[in-house]
Amino acid sequence: MVRTLRVAVIGAGPAGIYATDTLMKSGTPCTVDVFDRLPAPFGLIRYGVAPDHPRIKQIVHALHRVLDRPGVRLFGNVAYGRDVTLADVRALYDAVIVATGCEKDRGLDIPGVDLPGSHGAAEFVQWFDGHPDAPRDWRLDAEQVAVIGAGNVALDVARVLAKSAGDMLTTEIPDNVHRGLATNRATDVHLFARRGLAQAKFTPMELRELDHVPGVELVVDPEDVELDEGSVAALRESRQQQMVVRTVQDWALRDRRPASDPARARLHLHFLRAPVAVLGDGRVTGLRTERTELTGTGSVRGTGEFTDFPVQAVYRAVGYLGSPLPELPFDHAAGVVPHDAGRVLDLDGQQVPGVYAVGWIKRGPVGLIGHTKGCALETVGSLLEDLDALPPAPVPDPSAIVELLTERGVEYTTWDGWLRLDKHERGLGEDRGRERIKVVPREEMVAVARG
């Protein structure tokens, strides 16, 4: 009799769902149970992509088809390490794939970074995306704002801060986010990148969106977008980066809007500006930057020329970090689970039997969402290579996990529950001429999902 592989996937974001899809298409008889600590699936797509990016959010349709397949079950509102342990899943499944992602802000070690008014981008993104564990309110009384970073998250934060609340009403933002954005007083948003334009990590489409924000003027200093020989050489290898450079250089050559027709807000892009201190006495009052110069190798060095920008809020978009997982080894410096081709390794470099990792918790927060497919293919490939060495689960009964969660009083949600919540949110949006309005409170999400 052919053995049916039973796999637990911890994390219902793109990485976990792509791994599930790869398993189900592998030709190996298997069933997959996908767990997530949130009551709703889709992880980064639902809670990490800006609400005014509906094109990216369309990826949910493909993820939906995977979770809707026979042989796949969803258990939401189940926290690994609290509601279920590694021992639990190792007893009930032949293998476990960890796909918990990275949602903490990477630190920025400069003076003043902990002042009130200095925020991590991840916190702000979770707020405007209606994450159930994020604060309900956000202080937006700063007229001049700094955003530190040169990637798409920095673009998202800067764009949302520059937009009017009315521009966001076509999206799925919940009412508390709209109320917060309506209080936004920002007139000038400054985005600072430590390196040069050719080294920026923006993607062309996300960058060009800045030019379509109603009432916002883009301001770029031509000196900031000059290239050295090393940058020119690097650009020859990347058509995408050529598009980024050309777009920003065109903006730098534009005439400023006349004083008789001022913009509602201005979005300033600064390159070759390294943040060295957040200024303030009790609250943020400025950001000190050092002018940098290109070294010809893609890196920069300081010039000793400092400029203080008077800002009342700072948003740090310098990267994400994963969080340690109970009972599993963790690389605290890199913020990932140590692995070899997806096989989780202990601190001695030995494989942890039956435990695998995929997505950002495996490789760090790099690459676009689509890159996760190749990552999932590698991890699932390793798992299937190990199949003969994997001992069968001691308790292979599919009903055992349901009994365990029920016995522990866990109010778990299911795929049918997500379909109910999805219908409910769409109904809230339909009443106001919108596609969806997110439900934010966890208890309300669970109540709707559980019927």
Side-chain angles (χ1 to χ4, degrees):
M1 183 175 176
V2 178
R3 169 186 174 189
T4 297
L5 181 68
R6 285 181 45 74
V7 179
V9 173
I10 311 298
I17 297 175
Y18 284 143
T20 299
D21 188 39
T22 305
L23 274 166
M24 299 304 290
K25 291 177 177 176
S26 68
T28 300
C30 65
T31 62
V32 181
D33 286 350
V34 183
F35 297 84
D36 202 282
R37 68 182 185 85
L38 296 174
F42 309 129
L44 177 68
I45 304 298
R46 183 172 168 94
Y47 293 119
V49 172
D52 57 345
H53 270 165
R55 177 187 57 84
I56 299 177
K57 286 184 177 288
Q58 293 304 309
I59 296 172
V60 161
H61 297 312
L63 303 181
H64 178 108
R65 289 192 291 271
V66 177
L67 292 180
D68 201 35
R69 292 185 63 160
V72 178
R73 296 188 298 181
L74 174 69
F75 292 91
N77 203 40
V78 177
Y80 169 80
R82 183 191 68 197
D83 301 321
V84 294
T85 66
L86 183 62
D88 293 331
V89 291
R90 293 299 289 118
L92 301 178
Y93 300 91
D94 302 312
V96 55
I97 299 176
V98 177
T100 51
C102 298
E103 58 178 27
K104 286 171 53 181
D105 283 293
R106 183 177 291 277
L108 181 63
D109 188 17
I110 60 175
V113 76
D114 295 324
L115 279 169
S118 174
H119 310 285
E123 303 171 46
F124 186 54
V125 170
Q126 289 183 354
W127 173 74
F128 66 57
D129 265 330
H131 194 293
D133 299 335
R136 297 290 185 271
D137 301 312
W138 198 275
R139 184 172 173 174
L140 290 168
D141 58 352
E143 295 184 0
Q144 292 84 26
V145 181
V147 179
I148 300 170
N152 285 341
V153 175
L155 289 183
D156 283 349
V157 170
R159 189 183 64 255
V160 170
L161 288 168
K163 273 191 168 183
S164 71
D167 292 335
M168 298 293 282
L169 262 184
T170 58
T171 73
E172 63 188 21
I173 60 169
D175 289 341
N176 70 293
V177 174
H178 179 254
R179 286 193 300 269
L181 292 174
T183 68
N184 184 15
R185 296 173 56 191
T187 60
D188 290 87
V189 178
H190 297 264
L191 187 149
F192 295 94
R194 182 178 62 87
R195 296 197 294 169
L197 172 58
Q199 290 77 41
K201 300 300 182 183
F202 311 135
T203 50
M205 185 173 292
E206 278 66 26
L207 178 67
R208 287 195 294 262
E209 285 182 4
L210 297 183
D211 205 21
H212 301 290
V213 181
V216 173
E217 179 182 13
L218 294 171
V219 182
V220 182
D221 185 340
E223 271 191 44
D224 282 9
V225 295
E226 294 177 357
L227 307 177
D228 67 350
E229 291 183 8
S231 297
V232 172
L235 286 178
R236 297 192 189 105
E237 308 298 321
S238 173
R239 184 171 178 273
Q240 177 169 287
Q241 204 63 23
Q242 291 172 24
M243 295 166 66
V244 167
V245 168
R246 189 160 53 244
T247 297
V248 178
Q249 286 181 333
D250 286 346
W251 293 344
L253 296 175
R254 282 182 183 171
D255 292 332
R256 294 291 306 273
R257 288 180 67 150
S260 58
D261 181 29
R264 177 183 54 78
R266 288 162 295 278
L267 207 166
H268 309 257
L269 302 183
H270 304 276
F271 299 93
L272 300 171
R273 291 278 182 184
V276 295
V278 178
L279 309 176
D281 183 9
R283 187 165 181 83
V284 171
T285 60
L287 179 71
R288 178 166 296 159
T289 67
E290 181 180 11
R291 185 74 176 180
T292 60
E293 61 184 10
L294 295 161
T295 63
T297 63
S299 188
V300 292
R301 58 178 168 243
T303 65
E305 176 190 332
F306 298 92
T307 304
D308 292 352
F309 289 83
V311 299
Q312 300 84 50
V314 173
Y315 291 81
R316 310 177 306 275
V318 294
Y320 289 152
L321 277 178
S323 299
L325 299 165
E327 304 176 83
L328 286 176
F330 194 73
D331 181 339
H332 289 269
V336 297
V337 171
H339 74 96
D340 177 16
R343 299 175 176 93
V344 172
L345 305 177
D346 64 22
L347 298 181
D348 296 322
Q350 301 300 308
Q351 182 179 352
V352 179
V355 183
Y356 301 83
V358 72
W360 281 4
I361 197 66
K362 165 189 169 185
R363 67 185 197 278
V366 293
L368 303 176
I369 292 170
H371 295 155
T372 304
K373 291 184 178 181
C375 175
L377 195 64
E378 178 187 63
T379 293
V380 171
S382 294
L383 190 161
L384 296 178
E385 285 176 13
D386 299 344
L387 196 54
D388 291 340
L390 290 176
V395 186
D397 183 359
S399 66
I401 184 62
V402 176
E403 294 170 3
L404 178 70
L405 294 174
T406 302
E407 179 184 317
R408 292 179 180 173
V410 180
E411 291 189 301
Y412 65 89
T413 59
T414 63
W415 180 242
D416 285 341
W418 159 248
L419 296 179
R420 279 192 290 272
L421 178 58
D422 181 49
K423 182 178 179 181
H424 177 74
E425 291 185 337
R426 291 181 182 275
L428 294 176
E430 186 177 3
D431 291 343
R432 300 196 220 166
R434 295 159 62 185
E435 183 177 348
R436 172 195 306 274
I437 297 177
K438 274 184 184 172
V439 173
V440 178
R442 180 185 290 265
E443 59 275 14
E444 185 178 346
M445 295 173 69
V446 171
V448 173
R450 289 174 65 89

